[in-house]
């Protein structure tokens, strides 16, 4: 049995839903948290420190009956830019998408500047991605740059 087959046994196939594959092992639980999967009521399969030919080790999250919205996909991309998003319908792979960090993120990230207008008034945040690796964002309103991101809500 090949390594790939063994992996399939560790994290079994799903019938319908989304697979987030190739997550750095260190980021798996961060992804779980930002997607609020700890409160998700259907099946969630999590694998971490799995062997990967491409990345050494990787994590994988399989969420039954969940199809993520663009906003959620952007959040995943900010944390795990090399992840692959796979949509499963009736046990078949119907879509496979390599993630990419967007050039701009609106109302996803919180500004770290307490005096920023977005932290005082009820307006949507807007960040430009200045650098993807390592990640660096700049607030459209106060122009503060940040490398450690915090998500809204
Ligand atoms: N998968 C799943 N349930 C299914 C079908 C696939 O959980 N019913 C998962 C597989 O475990 C794999 C991913 O979706 O992690 C992609 O499936 P597939 O394209 O068949 O696998 P690979 O060819 O191994 O993909 P890659 O080489 O991109 O890792
Ligand atoms: Zn700001």
């Amino acid at each position: 049995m090949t390594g790939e087959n063994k992996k399939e046994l560790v994290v079994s196939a799903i019938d319908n839903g989304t697979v987030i594959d190739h997550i750095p092992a260190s980021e798996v639980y961060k992804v779980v948290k930002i997607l609020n999967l700890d409160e998700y009521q259907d099946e969630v399969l999590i694998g971490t420190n799995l062997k990967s030919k491409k990345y050494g080790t990787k994590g994988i999250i399989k969420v039954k009956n969940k199809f993520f919205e663009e906003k959620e996909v952007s959040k995943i991309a900010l944390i795990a830019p090399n992840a692959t998003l796979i949509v499963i319908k009736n046990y078949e792979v119907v879509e496979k998408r390599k993630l990419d960090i967007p050039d701009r993120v609106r109302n996803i990230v919180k500004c770290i500047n307490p005096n920023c207008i977005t932290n005082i008034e009820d307006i949507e945040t807007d960040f430009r991605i200045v650098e993807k690796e390592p990640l660096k964002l700049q607030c459209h309103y106060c122009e503060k740059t940040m490398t450690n991101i915090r998500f809204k809500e």
Side-chain angles (χ1 to χ4, degrees):
M1 191 183 278
T2 67
E4 286 295 316
N5 289 337
K6 275 187 200 157
K7 228 183 292 171
E8 294 291 308
L9 294 178
V10 175
V11 185
S12 61
I14 56 171
D15 54 354
N16 282 285
T18 305
V19 174
I20 311 165
D21 199 1
H22 308 121
I23 308 168
S26 58
E27 307 301 307
V28 169
Y29 290 100
K30 219 182 274 175
V31 174
V32 168
K33 186 162 181 282
I34 57 117
L35 296 175
N36 296 317
L37 295 177
D38 49 343
E39 288 167 27
Y40 190 63
Q41 295 300 310
D42 210 332
E43 289 174 24
V44 179
L45 307 178
I46 299 169
T48 187
N49 296 318
L50 304 176
K51 299 217 169 20
S52 156
K53 282 190 206 109
K54 244 187 273 178
Y55 302 101
T57 62
K58 69 162 189 180
I60 193 166
I61 303 170
K62 303 188 180 189
V63 192
K64 196 175 149 117
N65 296 322
K66 179 85 182 170
F67 304 97
F68 295 107
E69 292 166 11
E70 276 317 296
K71 192 169 177 173
E72 293 169 308
V73 175
S74 295
K75 284 186 179 182
I76 302 168
L78 287 173
I79 297 177
N82 294 316
T84 313
L85 205 70
I86 301 134
V87 176
I88 310 288
K89 291 205 173 136
N90 205 9
Y91 283 104
E92 300 288 333
V93 172
V94 295
E95 193 192 333
K96 202 182 250 192
R97 182 170 160 193
K98 178 91 188 58
L99 294 189
D100 189 25
I101 299 175
D103 296 323
R104 203 172 163 183
V105 282
R106 289 185 215 187
N107 218 26
I108 288 178
V109 171
K110 201 170 149 43
C111 187
I112 49 160
N113 173 9
N115 299 320
C116 179
I117 185 100
T118 62
N119 284 321
I120 296 163
E121 286 176 23
D122 186 23
I123 48 175
E124 300 197 338
T125 64
D126 188 355
F127 284 85
R128 189 169 66 83
I129 284 66
V130 184
E131 234 177 82
K132 293 192 177 183
E133 179 72 61
L135 190 62
K136 188 171 164 190
L137 286 71
Q138 183 173 37
C139 179
H140 169 74
Y141 293 96
C142 72
E143 299 186 334
K144 176 107 185 145
T145 56
M146 36 196 255
T147 49
N148 256 333
I149 56 166
R150 276 188 304 159
F151 291 101
K152 284 196 79 171
E153 102 228 311

